[in-house]
Amino acid sequence: MSVPCEHPWTASQFGNDAIFTIEVGEGSEWKEFWAHVNLMAHCSGWFREELARVAEQNAEAEESKAPIIKLPDQCPDVFEVFRDVLYSGKLPLPETRRYPLGFVCKLYNFGKDFDIMMLRNTAVDALFERFADDMPDLEYNNIRYVWNNTNKHSAMSEMAVDVALNIGDSKALLRDYESSFSKAFLRTLLYTASDFGVVPFEHREDRVDWIERLRGQVCKRYHDHEGDESRRADEEADEDMEVDDGHEEGIGGVGWEMELSFR
C-alpha cells in the first residue's frame, strides 16, 4: 500500500527538450548521467539556476554544446535513485524490498541541498514505510538515527518525534535515553507535547492502527509542494547551530499545523 499524495510528481507534464550531462562523484565512484533540461529546471531550484548559469557561459563563449554539471562531492547511488524518481514518479524498490535508513536520510538531504521538493517528499514516504513495516514493534534506534542525521525542523525529524510521542513507550525511551537520545530530542518531544496539549505515550489506540491512520495524513502533515520557506529557514538555522549529537541543544518545539494526536 502506497502513501497517498494530493499532488503526485509526473514527469510527462513538463515534456521533453534538450538533454544535458551530470557527472556525479569522483575516482572509482564517478558516474555519468543524462537528464532533460526542462524537467530538471522544474523540479530543482538549484539545477534551474545552475543550468541558466552554464547556458550564459556557453553563450558568452559562443559555444552550442550541451551543458555539463559536475557534482564531485555527491553520491552516484543517491543521484541514480533521484533520477529514477524524476522520470517515474516512484521510488524504485531495491532487491531487499526497502532501503537502509541511512540511504533514506541521504535522499532527503540531497533533496534539501538541491531544492528538490518531490525528492524530499519521496524520502518522507520511504521513512513512513519503514515505521509501518516495523509495527507493532517500534525501533527507537531508527528514531534516533533520523533525528541525528536530518535537521531538527525537517519533515523527517518531525515524523520521528510524532511517532515517538504518540506510540512510543516511555519506559523503553527513557531506558535507552542516555545512550541513544540527545537532550535536544527529549526537550523537543516534551515541548511539542506541551504546545499541542498532547499527553506523551498515552497510547489511545493500537500502534498498527495509529500508523495506518497516519498513512492518509502523511501528505498533508509532512509533504512540501509549494516550497516551504519557513521550514527551509529553520533548517538552515539548524545547520548553523548543530552540535556533535546531530542537533543544536538550545531550542525546542516543532511547528506542526495539525494537532499531533488523532482523536
Side-chain angles (χ1 to χ4, degrees):
M1 184 184 300
S2 61
V3 176
C5 180
E6 296 178 0
H7 306 283
W9 170 266
T10 54
S12 60
Q13 62 184 308
F14 302 111
N16 294 328
D17 61 348
I19 289 175
F20 75 104
T21 299
I22 311 100
E23 297 179 358
V24 186
E26 56 186 354
S28 61
E29 300 297 319
W30 178 90
K31 283 188 179 181
E32 184 179 77
F33 302 89
W34 62 266
H36 288 91
V37 171
N38 191 44
L39 185 58
M40 288 290 275
H42 273 87
C43 84
S44 166
W46 187 92
F47 275 100
R48 181 166 55 252
E49 293 179 1
E50 186 66 9
L51 285 165
R53 185 188 67 80
V54 173
E56 184 178 351
Q57 284 183 342
N58 289 347
E60 291 176 354
E62 297 183 351
E63 296 178 347
S64 59
K65 63 181 181 181
I68 298 177
I69 292 179
K70 298 182 180 182
L71 304 175
D73 297 330
Q74 300 302 316
C75 173
D77 291 342
V78 169
F79 191 90
E80 185 170 8
V81 170
F82 157 58
R83 188 183 174 281
D84 286 343
V85 175
L86 178 70
Y87 281 94
S88 70
K90 299 178 181 179
L91 187 66
L93 276 179
E95 293 182 0
T96 57
R97 305 297 296 173
R98 67 179 189 177
Y99 289 95
L101 198 58
F103 191 84
V104 175
C105 290
K106 287 181 179 179
L107 281 179
Y108 185 90
N109 290 331
F110 184 88
K112 175 182 70 68
D113 293 342
F114 290 89
D115 192 16
I116 309 170
M117 288 186 293
M118 65 88 169
L119 187 62
R120 295 201 303 271
N121 295 340
T122 298
V124 165
D125 293 349
L127 176 62
F128 171 82
E129 295 294 358
R130 284 297 301 261
F131 285 135
D133 287 347
D134 288 341
M135 294 298 118
D137 297 322
L138 183 59
E139 295 290 339
Y140 289 96
N141 282 339
N142 289 349
I143 293 174
R144 175 191 58 79
Y145 189 91
V146 172
W147 175 263
N148 286 343
N149 288 277
T150 60
N151 286 328
K152 177 167 65 68
H153 286 88
S154 72
M156 300 273 282
S157 284
E158 288 184 9
M159 182 184 291
V161 171
D162 200 353
V163 169
L165 185 63
N166 282 275
I167 57 175
D169 180 88
S170 58
K171 292 181 180 179
L173 184 66
L174 292 175
R175 182 180 64 242
D176 296 338
Y177 165 67
E178 288 296 333
S179 60
S180 298
F181 293 100
S182 68
K183 293 179 181 178
F185 173 84
L186 192 59
R187 185 183 299 117
T188 298
L189 189 150
L190 295 177
Y191 283 0
T192 302
S194 175
D195 288 345
F196 290 90
V198 176
V199 178
F201 320 118
E202 191 175 14
H203 289 196
R204 294 183 180 87
E205 60 184 307
D206 178 79
R207 282 176 173 169
V208 174
D209 293 341
W210 186 90
I211 203 75
E212 284 307 315
R213 289 217 289 150
L214 178 61
R215 182 184 297 277
Q217 297 287 329
V218 167
C219 177
K220 189 171 184 178
R221 293 165 73 90
Y222 307 111
H223 283 184
D224 179 10
H225 293 292
E226 299 179 356
D228 189 337
E229 295 296 335
S230 62
R231 185 193 296 278
R232 184 180 304 172
D234 287 339
E235 289 188 350
E236 289 175 352
D238 286 345
E239 290 178 349
D240 294 334
M241 303 174 70
E242 283 177 353
V243 293
D244 290 342
D245 68 4
H247 290 282
E248 60 85 19
E249 291 284 338
I251 301 175
V254 178
W256 285 316
E257 295 180 357
M258 296 181 62
E259 186 176 344
L260 280 170
S261 61
F262 301 132
R263 298 181 185 274

